[in-house]
Amino acid sequence: MRKFTLIAAAAAVALTLAGCASSAAPTATSSAAACTPTAAGTTSDAVTATGDLDTLPTTTFTAPLTATATERTVTTVGTGAEVTEGSLATIDFTLYNGTSGKQLFTTTDAEIGSQKVTVDQTQFLPGIVKAVQCSTVGSRIVAVVPPADAWSTNGNSTLGVAATDTVVFVIDVKDVTEAPAATTAPTPTTDPNMPTRATGADQPAPAGFPTVTLADDGTPTVTIPSTPAPTTLQMATLKLGTGAVVGDGDTVTVQYQGVNWTTGAVFDESWTKGGPTSFATNKVIKGFGAALVGATVGSQVIVVIPPDQGYGATGQASAGIGGTDDLVFVVDILATASAAK
């Protein structure tokens, strides 16, 4: 089997918004003085996982399993250090399809090995993070994870997970260390030939969208309408550029501003942080990436992102984003570089 770089390569719902999201959460660490573990449930309690730690467990449960929220049962309580939010946990895990009962993947394969997980739901699957957070080194954990905390409505065809499948993780916690300083923050673009704002032709905004007015330098001001936030992803083009089309996985250079629909507050932007920034379209939260792919350089797009396409039901507390808050991004697309190059 190929080495599986822990779900970060496969999990569309757990990606860091490199630039937009990492700035919304400038550090992955936070105080863990009152660590509250994810609760056990009747479903996770019904899963048995036996065998020595750090080896392929013998796992039994009656399929199909369903869960509406992640459930976490600790079957072996370790005596080592506690895994806290923002720390770097080293784990072995085995993944099962809760619908079919099939084993899908294990790190106990000699060619794969243990994986390191930053305990941060913006970087890894929320279900994994909820399982290991507040555990101790030497523990074995059974986690039953619904689609919302796994691969959401996309599923994961590579692993054999359908969009409606609940999954089961059996996780052995091997070590924990302090996470290294974040290195994913975007670097302001300094190319003197790079435009600093979208130059495309103005387009009418659809009815019901937030209104956007621009300062002389292009900085947007977003006004949220009094209507309820949409429940599905909404996108529109405010300026239509004639440049290259942004492809999935391309590295784009943009100016952006993020606004919380509920509060109307700007929670992150490039305009006040040194100018345009660059990141890959497949390394951002799902709704943000969807707004970029297929757009053209020179365009300005606006996207309204519901929680299931953003930070999920946990939100992003450090940025003042609640679990029910829609996000509004206005993005000027200044350049793109193909992922194939």
Side-chain angles (χ1 to χ4, degrees):
M1 297 175 71
R2 293 193 308 270
K3 183 149 184 166
F4 184 53
T5 55
L6 180 63
I7 313 171
V13 298
L15 299 174
T16 306
L17 182 52
C20 303
S22 61
S23 297
T27 61
T29 57
S30 65
S31 172
C35 196
T36 302
T38 297
T42 55
T43 306
S44 62
D45 285 345
V47 179
T48 62
T50 59
D52 294 337
L53 297 182
D54 306 330
T55 64
L56 179 67
T58 300
T59 304
T60 59
F61 57 88
T62 301
L65 291 183
T66 59
T68 57
T70 294
E71 298 179 10
R72 166 192 185 270
T73 296
V74 180
T75 62
T76 300
V77 179
T79 59
E82 185 180 60
V83 177
T84 58
E85 184 179 357
S87 61
L88 188 66
T90 302
I91 64 172
D92 271 320
F93 71 90
T94 304
L95 170 67
Y96 304 86
N97 187 310
T99 302
S100 67
K102 292 182 178 179
Q103 178 188 316
L104 303 178
F105 182 83
T106 182
T107 64
T108 62
D109 186 302
E111 294 183 4
I112 300 168
S114 304
Q115 302 292 310
K116 294 183 182 295
V117 181
T118 301
V119 185
D120 179 352
Q121 292 183 39
T122 69
Q123 298 190 43
F124 291 94
L125 287 184
I128 283 276
V129 173
K130 290 179 180 181
V132 300
Q133 189 168 337
C134 306
S135 65
T136 50
V137 172
S139 295
R140 171 167 283 174
I141 302 156
V142 170
V144 179
V145 179
D149 280 349
W151 290 279
S152 191
T153 55
N154 288 330
N156 189 315
S157 59
T158 301
L159 292 176
V161 179
T164 57
D165 287 341
T166 291
V167 295
V168 177
F169 286 98
V170 177
I171 304 168
D172 293 347
V173 183
K174 305 185 70 174
D175 192 19
V176 62
T177 59
E178 184 177 348
T183 58
T184 56
T187 302
T189 300
T190 57
D191 182 354
N193 298 315
M194 178 72 66
T196 59
R197 59 186 295 181
T199 56
D202 290 340
Q203 306 293 305
F209 266 68
T211 58
V212 179
T213 56
L214 303 178
D216 290 344
D217 66 353
T219 303
T221 296
V222 176
T223 302
I224 304 297
S226 58
T227 53
T231 57
T232 59
L233 188 71
Q234 303 290 318
M235 301 179 290
T237 300
L238 301 180
K239 292 181 178 291
L240 181 59
T242 58
V245 176
V246 177
D248 189 13
D250 283 4
T251 296
V252 293
T253 301
V254 302
Q255 291 268 41
Y256 68 88
Q257 184 182 89
V259 176
N260 187 317
W261 179 293
T262 303
T263 65
V266 175
F267 60 84
D268 189 30
E269 63 177 331
S270 63
W271 296 92
T272 58
K273 295 182 178 180
T277 60
S278 300
F279 46 79
T281 61
N282 58 359
K283 300 297 182 183
V284 296
I285 57 172
K286 186 177 179 181
F288 194 91
L292 298 176
V293 175
T296 52
V297 171
S299 295
Q300 181 182 81
V301 297
I302 183 171
V303 57
V304 183
I305 305 175
D308 66 342
Q309 306 278 307
Y311 295 106
T314 58
Q316 184 80 305
S318 62
I321 299 169
T324 60
D325 292 340
D326 277 33
L327 310 179
V328 180
F329 281 97
V330 177
V331 188
D332 288 19
I333 303 171
L334 308 179
T336 187
S338 173
K341 294 181 180 179

